[in-house]
Amino acid sequence: MIDDNVRASRQTADQRPELQISFEFFPPKTDVMEEKFWDTVHKLAPLKPRFVSVTYGAGGTTRERTLRMVSSIKADTGVDAAAHLTCVGASRDEVDGVVRGYRAAGISRIVALRGDPPEGVGKPFTPHPDGYQNAADLVAGIRRIGDFDISVAAYPEKHPQSPDWATEMDNLKRKIDAGASRAITQMFFSNGDYLRYLDRARAAGITAPIVPGIQPIHSFKQISSFAARSGASIPGWLAERFEGLDDEPETHALVASAVAAEQVTELLDEGVTEFHFFTLNRSPLALALARILGLRPGV
Ligand code: FAD
């Protein structure tokens, strides 16, 4: 039985270890989406996240929008913003140009990724003939340009192209050794996968923080499809909880908040003190989870 006195999730704010949170957004495509993006940013910024990040569309399709959003977030809210960057379909010179552009715009944080071919993660990745070969190569390239705070990706269920755990850990180690400060994980729904990943990483001599990427389930249908495309699995118990709720938005929302709350409180009780939330540019579940972690706007 778990003693209530020792459950971190039930401690009061002054008893709890200091928590760090970050939020991930995607660059909006239309004016309406941009309005929603800013509404979400303005609701989440008062929680004082360590940083927020903005993704980079496949093949650099969002290059300008990512840069514009990241620069504006910092100017508008004072919150540090990180720009994602991938190596897909671009030469080293082109990618270096983007990095220099980030630096010129005062952006000091980058989430460095390999990216996927346009057909998705299931297809083999062929680097641009003059391009960075993988994320570790990109991290080293960014380091040569400037003193950025670099985050990289980690995969609690193993990256779909890693044949075994040794390859997965070697790759993460290469990215950290090349100059990344932390890893942020792909979404996962079984905390055991994340905790075992941490054990494997520590055993491989990786000491950098590995921050869990938490995906609140705004829409089970949409998240299942994202998960399938990224190689994350949906456990049977999770599918059962949402079964038949496609046309029951209120119940769906209640189940989603219960599932996400369970996930973060369990991790908190395991001693996790840093969380990265994939917001999909929506605030309600992210705000609720922050509260559950004991964080309130402006406090
Ligand atoms: P890498 O670390 O390079 O690894 C990819 C695979 O290649 C691994 O299986 C690795 O083991 C293998 N590998 C690497 N180097 C070698 C080598 N030398 N020899 C043999 N095998 C090797 N995608 C986007 O397009 N835009 C985004 O903004 C974006 N943001 C993301 C944010 C997070 C937090 C996460 C977790 C993922 C994100 N992605 C994004 C998805 C990411 O681009 C894909 O998951 C991609 O398939 C792998 O990227 P990576 O940086 O992990 O690649």
Side-chain angles (χ1 to χ4, degrees):
M1 199 179 92
I2 297 170
D3 181 343
D4 278 357
N5 292 324
V6 300
R7 286 190 69 124
S9 50
R10 297 196 187 157
Q11 289 173 335
T12 56
D14 52 352
Q15 296 169 321
R16 222 175 279 120
E18 194 170 336
L19 294 179
Q20 299 272 11
I21 55 169
S22 49
F23 297 112
E24 184 171 309
F25 302 96
F26 64 87
K29 274 194 195 134
T30 62
D31 289 350
V32 173
M33 285 167 86
E34 184 157 345
E35 214 171 288
K36 185 165 179 187
F37 172 93
W38 284 113
D39 179 57
T40 302
V41 168
H42 287 133
K43 283 189 171 129
L44 297 180
L47 291 165
K48 301 198 182 102
R50 171 153 62 177
F51 64 88
V52 302
S53 76
V54 180
T55 59
Y56 196 77
T61 45
T62 67
R63 185 183 303 180
E64 280 73 30
R65 275 182 285 138
T66 299
L67 173 62
R68 181 161 66 83
M69 292 302 136
V70 171
S71 316
S72 315
I73 287 171
K74 175 83 181 166
D76 200 60
T77 65
V79 172
D80 248 13
H84 292 219
L85 178 62
T86 73
C87 332
V88 180
S91 67
R92 283 169 190 254
D93 283 351
E94 285 165 334
V95 172
D96 289 356
V98 177
V99 175
R100 290 200 180 90
Y102 286 166
R103 189 175 55 180
I107 295 163
S108 60
R109 295 176 182 268
I110 295 181
V111 182
L113 305 139
R114 185 198 71 179
D116 289 314
E119 307 79 41
V121 72
K123 297 287 173 231
F125 174 79
T126 312
H128 183 284
D130 303 316
Y132 288 108
Q133 301 294 302
N134 49 49
D137 197 18
L138 174 63
V139 172
I142 296 170
R143 270 269 161 272
R144 283 193 289 273
I145 295 172
D147 184 24
F148 290 92
D149 172 277
I150 305 174
S151 302
V152 291
Y155 300 87
E157 298 179 71
K158 201 155 64 54
H159 186 274
Q161 285 156 2
S162 293
D164 50 44
W165 281 106
T167 310
E168 176 72 25
M169 288 303 145
D170 281 354
N171 185 49
L172 179 59
K173 190 156 189 327
R174 267 197 304 275
K175 294 194 276 192
I176 301 293
D177 290 349
S181 311
R182 77 186 61 72
I184 301 173
T185 77
Q186 184 56 275
M187 68 172 92
F188 61 92
F189 298 101
S190 295
N191 286 340
D193 289 336
Y194 168 76
L195 296 168
R196 277 187 294 277
Y197 190 91
L198 270 189
D199 289 345
R200 286 186 170 105
R202 301 306 177 227
I206 299 164
T207 54
I210 298 175
V211 181
I214 305 294
Q215 178 63 74
I217 303 179
H218 315 276
S219 153
F220 182 71
K221 225 176 180 172
Q222 188 187 34
I223 299 303
S224 311
S225 128
F226 286 171
R229 272 191 271 147
S230 62
S233 62
I234 300 284
W237 62 264
L238 187 61
E240 269 173 31
R241 283 203 193 169
F242 285 97
E243 199 179 309
L245 293 184
D246 285 355
D247 301 319
E248 303 280 350
E250 286 178 15
T251 313
H252 187 295
L254 288 168
V255 172
S257 56
V259 164
E262 210 172 284
Q263 180 169 30
V264 298
T265 52
E266 232 181 76
L267 291 172
L268 193 61
D269 290 340
E270 289 288 345
V272 174
T273 56
E274 298 179 50
F275 295 87
H276 182 79
F277 295 104
F278 303 116
T279 69
L280 295 179
N281 298 1
R282 292 158 195 260
S283 62
L285 277 170
L287 277 171
L289 290 172
R291 280 194 168 255
I292 286 162
L293 290 172
L295 302 167
R296 277 168 296 138
V299 177

